[in-house]
Amino acid sequence: MLHVVMIEPEIPHNAGAAGRLALATGARLHLVKPLGFSLEDKHVRRTGLDYWKDVDLRVWDSFDELRIAADAGARFWFLSTKAQRSHWDAEFRDGDYLVFGCESRGLPEGLIHEAGEQAVRIPMKEGGTRSLNLSTAVGIVLYEAVRQVGGV
């Protein structure tokens, strides 16, 4: 099973869309507080449609709490526009955690620096756009990981 982690997501429809992606791929969705919305928000439910109730969802008070609870040997991949390495160069394995930051700030630079080779980015045309929508980024990286792992 792959894991999608959203640290402090701010926009409910991104969490809803990530939930649908997780359900479609058999991944688990982890949301790390604080959330910029209520999980009862109609936008989360609307984007997740009638699937939201079936999403394998875990909500954490902190990222450290999630890390402590993760299986021994679990690998965390940190997605950031500030990373140097492409997600295409990552060798994903079953059980990996794909970690995304919030919409307005991304991941803290300390996490990206600490991650080293485990920090990856989605390649984009230079001068094209600063970043992608969070749920779009989740879909791109999650499906690459699923392809490599041989899932779905």
Side-chain angles (χ1 to χ4, degrees):
M1 170 187 297
L2 292 163
H3 301 265
V4 173
V5 180
M6 299 174 81
I7 296 180
E8 301 179 10
E10 300 164 326
I11 301 173
H13 71 262
N14 283 330
R20 283 180 81 176
L21 287 163
L23 185 60
T25 58
R28 177 172 290 155
L29 177 62
H30 301 266
L31 301 179
V32 179
K33 292 180 181 179
L35 307 180
F37 50 87
S38 163
L39 289 175
E40 300 304 314
D41 188 299
K42 66 181 177 183
H43 296 294
V44 175
R45 290 194 319 270
R46 183 180 302 137
T47 306
L49 296 174
D50 55 342
Y51 307 115
W52 188 246
K53 68 184 179 344
D54 299 318
V55 172
D56 186 354
L57 174 67
R58 304 289 189 275
V59 180
W60 303 92
D61 289 326
S62 71
F63 184 59
D64 286 339
E65 182 183 41
L66 183 156
R67 276 182 154 173
I68 291 167
D71 293 334
R75 297 185 320 158
F76 289 80
W77 294 91
F78 297 87
L79 283 294
S80 173
T81 59
K82 297 175 181 87
Q84 298 302 308
R85 188 173 179 214
S86 167
H87 78 292
W88 290 324
D89 297 328
E91 294 180 15
F92 297 111
R93 296 190 308 228
D94 194 29
D96 281 354
Y97 288 74
L98 310 174
V99 183
F100 299 83
C102 70
E103 293 87 343
S104 65
R105 296 180 312 279
L107 290 171
E109 288 198 32
L111 274 180
I112 300 163
H113 180 71
E114 176 188 313
E117 291 291 307
Q118 301 289 122
V120 294
R121 64 179 173 77
I122 298 169
M124 293 182 280
K125 180 182 174 214
E126 205 167 307
T129 183
R130 174 175 82 251
S131 63
L132 296 172
N133 171 275
L134 180 57
S135 59
T136 299
V138 169
I140 290 168
V141 178
L142 178 57
Y143 269 92
E144 174 60 16
V146 166
R147 182 190 70 79
Q148 288 185 27
V149 170
V152 183

